[in-house]
Amino acid sequence: MAGPTIVVVEDENSLRSDMVEYLTGCGFHVIGARDGAELDRLLQSHNASIVVLDVNLPDEDGFKIAARLRDGHGAGIIMVTARSSTVDRVVGLEIGADAYLVKPVELRELEAQVKSLLRRLSERAAESVAQATGTTVPADAVHDGMDEARWSLDPTEWSLTNPSGIRISLTSMEMKLTSLLAAQARKPATRDQISQALYNRRWNPEDRSIDTVVGRLRHKVEGAIGGPAPLKSVHGVGYVFSAPIRVMGAAQG
């Protein structure tokens, strides 16, 4: 399967096409969107790891869209704009953008920003797991069941590979969740642990966002392997990945 999904939101057709084509050539799964409404539709069926977001859009400006994404999605945000003032940069970063590019966009710089942000998001996922569990997942760790078929989690490629070699691309939230489940070594992760790992906050019983992330990951795994996923619900506790997961070498800064 393809690597991390990137959505490029840009109303200028030629620029959007250039960015999509270039990043696709870099090995990413890239989708273009013309405005915020199209982005919202795409995010209902695609789990974006990064959104490359133009500030000046016809229906809703990029600052407002970035604020919405930061509140509920978890994707990394790279803002792209013709505005070059310090004020606009500060506003974008304060809203929650991870990086800021000024037009005309140098495509090699965009590529570098995407790769750098993917590394940072992977590191954040590992830190969230460490905070939630009080432990870290060492590079090339293999949990119990040495002779048992294992799944492999690769933080550098944002992917989970099943024992048959089927590779599944993960979003930022799915990486955090899978890293936590790997650290638990087939013991249930509580909802509080998952909430801390995903959102850095205590679990609220009225908040269904955890179930949404779990459901998307389970659906993705089941679709890839053509059968039930080893991601199970533990009544009154949380969730467990019932198969051992080998964590590959950690991403380097």
Side-chain angles (χ1 to χ4, degrees):
M1 296 183 70
T5 295
I6 300 169
V7 178
V8 175
V9 188
E10 168 60 60
D11 62 325
E12 185 180 331
N13 292 335
S14 60
L15 178 56
R16 183 177 68 250
S17 178
D18 286 345
M19 290 193 288
V20 168
E21 182 178 357
Y22 185 88
L23 291 175
T24 299
C26 295
F28 300 111
H29 177 221
V30 191
I31 308 171
R34 291 169 294 183
D35 51 33
E38 188 169 359
L39 171 64
D40 290 340
R41 289 193 294 271
L42 284 171
L43 293 180
Q44 291 177 6
S45 56
H46 295 80
N47 295 314
S49 298
I50 291 179
V51 175
V52 179
L53 180 61
D54 184 26
V55 169
N56 298 309
L57 293 170
D59 61 338
E60 181 181 16
D61 73 56
F63 293 136
K64 293 181 180 178
I65 296 172
R68 289 197 289 104
L69 289 174
R70 186 56 72 217
D71 284 342
H73 190 272
I77 302 171
I78 299 176
M79 303 203 76
V80 180
T81 181
R83 303 175 181 178
S84 59
S85 74
T86 301
V87 172
D88 286 332
R89 288 174 178 266
V90 170
V91 170
L93 294 173
E94 286 184 343
I95 286 173
D98 297 283
Y100 208 109
L101 294 176
V102 177
K103 295 179 180 179
V105 176
E106 168 55 56
L107 295 177
R108 286 176 295 181
E109 182 182 4
L110 173 61
E111 176 190 358
Q113 290 280 14
V114 166
K115 290 180 177 178
S116 175
L117 180 51
L118 286 173
R119 288 194 297 269
R120 298 202 305 274
L121 291 172
S122 180
E123 290 164 359
R124 288 179 201 168
E127 291 171 0
S128 296
V129 170
Q131 292 173 359
T133 63
T135 60
T136 58
V137 183
D140 286 328
V142 181
H143 296 307
D144 54 356
M146 289 292 292
D147 297 325
E148 187 176 349
R150 294 183 299 271
W151 292 66
S152 296
L153 179 65
D154 189 340
T156 63
E157 296 292 336
W158 289 46
S159 66
L160 178 67
T161 303
N162 84 334
S164 299
I166 298 174
R167 191 177 182 188
I168 304 162
S169 63
L170 303 176
T171 66
S172 173
M173 289 297 184
E174 291 162 358
M175 269 293 304
K176 291 179 181 180
L177 174 60
T178 309
S179 296
L180 173 62
L181 296 172
Q184 291 295 105
R186 293 188 289 178
K187 297 177 183 177
T190 68
R191 290 180 176 272
D192 273 331
Q193 287 177 314
I194 296 173
S195 184
Q196 287 290 342
L198 268 58
Y199 307 110
N200 194 30
R201 65 181 184 231
R202 292 180 61 85
W203 175 58
N204 181 341
E206 297 180 358
D207 184 1
R208 309 306 299 176
S209 58
I210 288 176
D211 301 303
T212 299
V213 177
V214 171
R216 286 177 176 173
L217 178 59
R218 180 186 286 128
H219 178 74
K220 186 178 290 188
V221 171
E222 289 178 345
I225 67 178
L231 177 53
K232 310 294 183 182
S233 174
V234 181
H235 181 69
V237 180
Y239 295 93
V240 64
F241 203 89
S242 59
I245 301 176
R246 178 176 188 262
V247 182
M248 308 299 289
Q252 300 300 314

